[in-house]
Amino acid sequence: MRTRSLLALAGTVTALTVAVAVPASADGSAVLTTGSAGGPAAAVGDTLTAPLAAGTTATLYSSATGTSGVTCTSSQFTATVTGNPTAPGTATESVTGHTFNSSSCTSNVTGVLGVSSITVDNLPYSATVASDGTLTVSPASGSTIQTTVKLRTLLGTITCVYQAPSLTGKADNSDSSIAFTNQQFTKSSGSSLCFANGYFTAKYAPVTDAGVPVYVN
């Protein structure tokens, strides 16, 4: 199965989720601040959003080193701040949305004609952002991070479902970004055209709060 571009699925995952990293802390500042490192705290209840970083793609490849799978050029996540303590510490968020524009997605998997949809399931997810920039996305207890990919083939539409126990990313204050690299998903159902494993890579930037860049302290 080969894909020129894979989909930044996952969930999907999805993701997914919060702010930036490379700590640039100032005593007394919150973990998540807006406008600058050490700036005003992002308030509990604030909504954070981020599109794919300009000029990048979200991919879901069949291997960590391959280029076969799905690729998307348009994706966005949305998360709500649920906790933002004084730095150093760990902020918390609820990931309420993670979308992929199917019209921007292509697949190079043999026998696949196109991508009908990519859906991140089982939302919301919880996320933690540590002062060192480590971002962890987890499903609700008893659930899983899951992404459903529907592909068009000569024989009709097939559905591939991929799952992961959690995702780990990294925030970077240099461009208010969060990046996921080769996060592994395993196929839970689907035809033989669905690769057995999916490796999700994507960079989202800038992460903003009401249009203002978010920083990690």
Side-chain angles (χ1 to χ4, degrees):
M1 308 182 166
R2 306 176 179 237
T3 302
R4 253 187 245 183
S5 343
L6 183 208
L7 156 286
L9 233 59
T12 217
V13 113
T14 208
L16 5 118
T17 292
V18 70
V20 194
V22 181
S25 56
D27 289 343
S29 65
V31 174
L32 301 180
T33 58
T34 62
S36 65
V44 171
D46 281 4
T47 297
L48 310 182
T49 60
L52 283 178
T56 70
T57 59
T59 60
L60 186 64
Y61 288 148
S62 58
S63 71
T65 58
T67 58
S68 174
V70 176
T71 299
C72 298
T73 60
S74 178
S75 176
Q76 178 171 299
F77 79 78
T78 303
T80 301
V81 178
T82 56
N84 190 17
T86 300
T90 300
T92 57
E93 303 173 358
S94 175
V95 181
T96 56
H98 190 188
T99 60
F100 297 87
N101 184 340
S102 60
S103 66
S104 78
C105 302
T106 59
S107 175
N108 60 2
V109 175
T110 301
V112 174
L113 303 177
V115 179
S116 296
S117 66
I118 296 172
T119 304
V120 177
D121 307 313
N122 300 338
L123 293 169
Y125 301 140
S126 61
T128 60
V129 186
S131 288
D132 66 358
T134 300
L135 167 69
T136 303
V137 181
S138 305
S141 177
S143 184
T144 185
I145 291 177
Q146 179 174 295
T147 298
T148 299
V149 183
K150 293 188 176 182
L151 304 172
R152 297 190 303 277
T153 75
L154 288 173
L155 299 178
T157 299
I158 63 170
T159 299
C160 309
V161 179
Y162 295 93
Q163 297 180 336
S166 64
L167 300 175
T168 300
K170 191 71 175 178
D172 186 346
N173 280 346
S174 66
D175 55 1
S176 292
S177 67
I178 56 170
F180 298 92
T181 303
N182 286 333
Q183 295 299 289
Q184 185 176 0
F185 285 76
T186 301
K187 183 179 77 172
S188 63
S189 66
S191 80
S192 59
L193 286 177
C194 305
F195 30 93
N197 293 289
Y199 292 82
F200 175 66
T201 297
K203 179 179 180 179
Y204 292 86
V207 178
T208 61
D209 181 347
V212 180
V214 175
Y215 294 79
V216 175
N217 302 272

